[in-house]
Amino acid sequence: AQSVTQLDSQVPVFEEAPVELRCNYSSSVSVYLFWYVQYPNQGLQLLLKYLSGSTLVESINGFEAEFNKSQTSFHLRKPSVHISDTAEYFCAVIPSGTYKYIFGTGTRLKVLA
Amino acid sequence: DTEVTQTPKHLVMGMTNKKSLKCEQHMGHRAMYWYKQKAKKPPELMFVYSYEKLSINESVPSRFSPECPNSSLLNLHLHALQPEDSALYLCASSQSGTGGTDTQYFGPGTRLTVL
């Protein structure tokens, strides 16, 4: 069985400070890894995903995540956050060949002025 | 166009009512999904349609009845719901009918309240 752990339910950080949102997964089969963001009263939007190749993936709005196979982690980082980054962030895995996302419980990022 | 639309945005219904949620995408995607999301929780998969056929039902109670009239439309028919069914209902779609690496594009959701 697969599982995803996001240990931090809330992360407060001041504007322009760096942030790391942690994600660890457990799986006996190969998986694909995703980060989704959910702004208040909206659906989920894909931030970035790791399928294969380079272990460092980047999004267009300055986030990056690094796949670490040995530590089974896929932490999300941003060197300088903005107020507009305040949202819920979900890490998810999909076992190869299936439809079903296994979501973590989410991390609420709150950026403070 | 990478948009998934959902109507209505909000719905309040009594336990004896029958209502429907609608989802639409015009991206040519062949897989469509219904999720349920309770407050401060991740989305939970309910149903998956692949090439307009129901391929996954995550043991959802029969008071929820999905329908895929064509490749662009997905409905969720609701009947005799319970207050604990109150949640945000999200629709999503992905390009391939076989899942896996495809990004799922989510709609904004319908916030359902059952009185």
Side-chain angles (χ1 to χ4, degrees):
Chain A
Q2 294 80 30
S3 66
V4 177
T5 302
Q6 292 180 250
L7 282 175
D8 305 306
S9 59
Q10 290 189 70
V11 174
V13 63
F14 285 104
E15 195 173 18
E16 298 183 8
V19 71
E20 179 179 80
L21 307 183
R22 295 179 294 168
C23 172
N24 288 88
Y25 71 93
S26 171
S27 177
S28 56
V29 300
S30 61
V31 296
Y32 304 110
L33 298 141
F34 300 78
W35 275 100
Y36 276 86
V37 58
Q38 187 174 30
Y39 298 102
N41 300 312
Q42 293 188 28
L44 279 70
Q45 300 172 31
L46 178 71
L47 256 186
L48 41 76
K49 62 183 178 182
Y50 173 78
L51 306 180
S52 64
S54 172
T55 57
L56 184 66
V57 289
E58 298 176 354
S59 73
I60 56 173
N61 55 357
F63 283 94
E64 64 178 31
E66 185 156 22
F67 170 56
N68 187 319
K69 189 173 182 180
S70 62
Q71 296 185 8
T72 59
S73 68
F74 191 53
H75 300 332
L76 182 70
R77 296 188 292 259
K78 189 170 186 180
S80 176
V81 294
H82 303 289
I83 296 284
S84 59
D85 292 323
T86 294
E88 190 85 23
Y89 291 79
F90 291 100
C91 180
V93 303
I94 288 187
S96 177
T98 73
Y99 294 101
K100 187 173 178 179
Y101 280 123
I102 312 297
F103 282 100
T105 49
T107 297
R108 178 158 178 76
L109 174 63
K110 187 167 175 62
V111 181
L112 309 167
Chain B
D1 180 10
T2 57
E3 191 178 21
V4 175
T5 58
Q6 290 187 244
T7 54
K9 289 191 176 187
H10 301 275
L11 179 63
V12 179
M13 60 186 290
M15 289 190 284
T16 58
N17 292 157
K18 285 186 182 181
K19 297 285 185 184
S20 296
L21 309 184
K22 180 180 170 182
C23 172
E24 198 163 0
Q25 58 87 14
H26 295 287
M27 297 179 276
H29 288 178
R30 305 316 304 267
M32 296 185 77
Y33 311 74
W34 278 116
Y35 288 85
K36 173 183 178 180
Q37 187 179 24
K38 301 284 273 184
K40 301 188 189 304
K41 299 286 187 186
E44 299 171 19
L45 183 65
M46 300 173 72
F47 303 103
V48 180
Y49 273 82
S50 173
Y51 297 100
E52 300 162 49
K53 288 185 172 22
L54 183 65
S55 60
I56 295 178
N57 176 340
E58 290 286 314
S59 303
V60 178
S62 60
R63 57 186 184 268
F64 295 91
S65 175
E67 179 198 18
C68 189
N70 59 57
S71 60
S72 301
L73 276 176
L74 185 65
N75 297 319
L76 186 63
H77 302 298
L78 315 172
H79 174 53
L81 294 193
Q82 304 296 311
E84 59 264 28
D85 296 321
S86 299
L88 181 68
Y89 287 83
L90 295 165
C91 174
S93 69
S94 64
Q95 184 170 19
S96 165
T98 56
T101 62
D102 287 347
T103 298
Q104 292 186 22
Y105 293 85
F106 285 80
T110 293
R111 188 161 299 282
L112 174 68
T113 303
V114 182
L115 301 176

